[in-house]
Amino acid sequence: MSARSKARKRALDLLYGADLRGLALDDAIATEAARALANPQRASSWGYARDIAQGVADHIDEIDTLISTYAQGWTIQRMPAVDRALLRMGIWEIVFNPEVPDPVAIAEAVGLATELSTEESSGFVNGLLARIAETKAQ
């Protein structure tokens, strides 16, 4: 698994955990940053995971608006928390991180959805992120 893939998984854990516990993302990021400082093995994947989590925190309103706009037939509250976290992460990479090619962001999110969420989640995540990437390209 690549360093960025590990970081994405770590960011997903952070976003998902904060969502389930009702924690502010900034508080969850601060807690995870302290863990990374205390444990050098965790520090290696923390840099990009922090970038993702902070990027989502900084743009959460815009990201959630995109999810609401493109999630046909689903409200943000109805979708599984892991899907919500994956979509937030994927949208941040597509819309706000020009260093990551859109197909990579989509493939990584779909891979995590396949591994960690429901049977239908990978198709849902793929379709929504692809629509956002297409819209961005126009």
Side-chain angles (χ1 to χ4, degrees):
M1 181 181 285
S2 76
R4 282 231 166 152
S5 293
K6 286 180 186 176
R8 283 182 185 95
K9 173 72 170 76
R10 189 162 177 190
L12 174 63
D13 291 345
L14 189 152
L15 295 171
Y16 173 76
D19 190 12
L20 280 184
R21 292 184 197 97
L23 298 174
L25 278 177
D26 288 331
D27 292 341
I29 292 166
T31 299
E32 192 59 30
R35 275 191 186 147
L37 284 173
N39 188 341
Q41 291 98 345
R42 295 179 64 84
S44 65
S45 64
W46 174 238
Y48 190 58
R50 180 193 58 235
D51 292 347
I52 294 169
Q54 191 61 60
V56 169
D58 291 345
H59 299 283
I60 191 72
D61 291 335
E62 295 159 278
I63 290 169
D64 283 356
T65 296
L66 286 168
I67 293 171
S68 294
T69 300
Y70 290 96
Q72 299 169 346
W74 285 88
T75 63
I76 287 179
Q77 296 78 22
R78 272 191 63 216
M79 61 185 65
V82 70
D83 293 0
R84 197 168 37 243
L86 281 167
L87 291 169
R88 287 173 172 160
M89 183 174 71
I91 290 169
W92 177 79
E93 285 193 309
I94 291 167
V95 177
F96 299 103
N97 186 359
E99 295 177 16
V100 177
D102 296 350
V104 172
I106 294 168
E108 289 280 340
V110 169
L112 287 167
T114 300
E115 179 184 341
L116 301 170
S117 196
T118 69
E119 208 170 283
E120 297 83 24
S121 290
S122 60
F124 175 70
V125 167
N126 184 54
L128 194 144
L129 293 178
R131 282 192 299 278
I132 291 171
E134 286 172 13
T135 302
K136 181 188 93 169
Q138 296 174 357

